[in-house]
Short mmCIF file of all heavy atoms in Angstrom, two decimals:
data_model
loop_
_atom_site.label_atom_id
_atom_site.label_comp_id
_atom_site.label_asym_id
_atom_site.label_seq_id
_atom_site.Cartn_x
_atom_site.Cartn_y
_atom_site.Cartn_z
N MET B 1 -39.16 -85.74 -8.83
CA MET B 1 -39.03 -84.27 -8.80
C MET B 1 -39.13 -83.64 -7.46
O MET B 1 -38.90 -82.47 -7.28
CB MET B 1 -40.08 -83.65 -9.70
CG MET B 1 -39.58 -83.41 -11.11
SD MET B 1 -40.76 -82.45 -12.00
CE MET B 1 -40.77 -80.93 -11.09
N SER B 40 -56.17 -76.04 -15.12
CA SER B 40 -57.59 -76.46 -15.05
C SER B 40 -57.68 -77.96 -14.89
O SER B 40 -56.74 -78.67 -15.20
CB SER B 40 -58.31 -76.00 -16.29
OG SER B 40 -57.86 -76.82 -17.37
N SER B 73 -38.95 -83.59 17.86
CA SER B 73 -37.88 -83.28 18.78
C SER B 73 -36.55 -83.69 18.18
O SER B 73 -35.53 -83.09 18.49
CB SER B 73 -38.15 -83.96 20.12
OG SER B 73 -38.24 -85.36 19.92
N LYS B 114 -12.32 -85.91 -9.78
CA LYS B 114 -12.23 -85.36 -8.41
C LYS B 114 -12.92 -84.01 -8.26
O LYS B 114 -12.72 -83.29 -7.31
CB LYS B 114 -10.74 -85.19 -8.04
CG LYS B 114 -10.02 -86.52 -7.86
CD LYS B 114 -8.68 -86.30 -7.20
CE LYS B 114 -7.88 -87.60 -7.15
NZ LYS B 114 -7.53 -88.09 -8.52
N ALA B 116 -16.65 -81.91 -8.05
CA ALA B 116 -18.04 -82.14 -7.67
C ALA B 116 -18.87 -82.49 -8.92
O ALA B 116 -18.69 -81.83 -9.96
CB ALA B 116 -18.61 -80.92 -6.96
N ASN B 131 -32.78 -75.30 3.79
CA ASN B 131 -32.25 -74.80 5.07
C ASN B 131 -32.51 -73.33 5.25
O ASN B 131 -32.62 -72.85 6.37
CB ASN B 131 -30.74 -75.11 5.13
CG ASN B 131 -30.47 -76.58 5.32
OD1 ASN B 131 -31.36 -77.36 5.64
ND2 ASN B 131 -29.23 -77.01 5.10
N TRP B 211 -40.69 -70.95 -9.19
CA TRP B 211 -41.57 -71.90 -8.40
C TRP B 211 -42.97 -71.38 -8.44
O TRP B 211 -43.24 -70.22 -8.32
CB TRP B 211 -41.05 -71.94 -6.96
CG TRP B 211 -39.66 -72.47 -6.88
CD1 TRP B 211 -38.51 -71.79 -7.08
CD2 TRP B 211 -39.28 -73.84 -6.65
NE1 TRP B 211 -37.43 -72.64 -7.01
CE2 TRP B 211 -37.88 -73.90 -6.73
CE3 TRP B 211 -40.00 -75.01 -6.43
CZ2 TRP B 211 -37.17 -75.09 -6.56
CZ3 TRP B 211 -39.30 -76.16 -6.22
CH2 TRP B 211 -37.91 -76.21 -6.31
N ALA B 247 -35.86 -65.99 -23.55
CA ALA B 247 -36.33 -65.73 -24.90
C ALA B 247 -36.09 -66.92 -25.83
O ALA B 247 -36.82 -67.19 -26.73
CB ALA B 247 -35.60 -64.49 -25.42
N ILE B 250 -36.75 -73.74 -25.85
CA ILE B 250 -36.20 -75.11 -25.99
C ILE B 250 -37.19 -75.90 -26.87
O ILE B 250 -38.34 -76.06 -26.45
CB ILE B 250 -35.99 -75.79 -24.66
CG1 ILE B 250 -35.05 -74.97 -23.77
CG2 ILE B 250 -35.48 -77.21 -24.82
CD1 ILE B 250 -34.82 -75.56 -22.39
N SER B 262 -34.59 -95.65 -24.40
CA SER B 262 -35.97 -95.98 -24.04
C SER B 262 -35.99 -96.91 -22.84
O SER B 262 -35.00 -97.41 -22.42
CB SER B 262 -36.68 -96.60 -25.26
OG SER B 262 -36.82 -95.65 -26.25
N TYR B 282 -33.65 -87.28 -13.11
CA TYR B 282 -34.00 -86.80 -14.41
C TYR B 282 -32.72 -86.33 -15.17
O TYR B 282 -32.52 -86.63 -16.36
CB TYR B 282 -34.91 -85.54 -14.34
CG TYR B 282 -36.31 -85.81 -13.83
CD1 TYR B 282 -37.13 -84.73 -13.56
CD2 TYR B 282 -36.82 -87.09 -13.70
CE1 TYR B 282 -38.45 -84.92 -13.13
CE2 TYR B 282 -38.12 -87.28 -13.27
CZ TYR B 282 -38.92 -86.22 -12.96
OH TYR B 282 -40.20 -86.39 -12.54
N LEU B 305 -33.54 -76.33 -17.41
CA LEU B 305 -34.58 -77.38 -17.31
C LEU B 305 -35.97 -76.73 -17.27
O LEU B 305 -36.16 -75.79 -16.49
CB LEU B 305 -34.36 -78.20 -16.04
CG LEU B 305 -32.98 -78.95 -15.96
CD1 LEU B 305 -32.68 -79.36 -14.56
CD2 LEU B 305 -33.01 -80.16 -16.91
N ARG B 308 -42.49 -80.02 -16.85
CA ARG B 308 -43.89 -80.04 -17.31
C ARG B 308 -44.76 -80.97 -16.46
O ARG B 308 -45.93 -80.74 -16.31
CB ARG B 308 -43.92 -80.61 -18.79
CG ARG B 308 -42.99 -79.87 -19.72
CD ARG B 308 -43.42 -78.43 -19.94
NE ARG B 308 -42.36 -77.66 -20.60
CZ ARG B 308 -42.58 -76.96 -21.71
NH1 ARG B 308 -43.78 -76.88 -22.23
NH2 ARG B 308 -41.57 -76.28 -22.24
N ASP B 330 -26.60 -89.21 -40.48
CA ASP B 330 -26.68 -89.40 -41.92
C ASP B 330 -27.52 -90.63 -42.19
O ASP B 330 -28.05 -91.28 -41.28
CB ASP B 330 -25.28 -89.49 -42.56
CG ASP B 330 -24.53 -90.71 -42.10
OD1 ASP B 330 -25.15 -91.62 -41.49
OD2 ASP B 330 -23.33 -90.78 -42.38
N LEU B 338 -23.28 -81.19 -40.21
CA LEU B 338 -23.77 -80.76 -41.49
C LEU B 338 -22.91 -79.71 -42.14
O LEU B 338 -22.87 -79.54 -43.35
CB LEU B 338 -25.18 -80.15 -41.30
CG LEU B 338 -26.27 -81.16 -40.87
CD1 LEU B 338 -27.58 -80.37 -40.67
CD2 LEU B 338 -26.43 -82.22 -41.94
#
Side-chain angles (χ1 to χ4, degrees):
Chain B
M1 266 189 62
S40 71
S73 59
K114 294 191 186 65
N131 289 346
W211 298 81
I250 302 180
S262 293
Y282 290 171
L305 299 162
R308 309 292 168 128
D330 65 13
L338 294 178

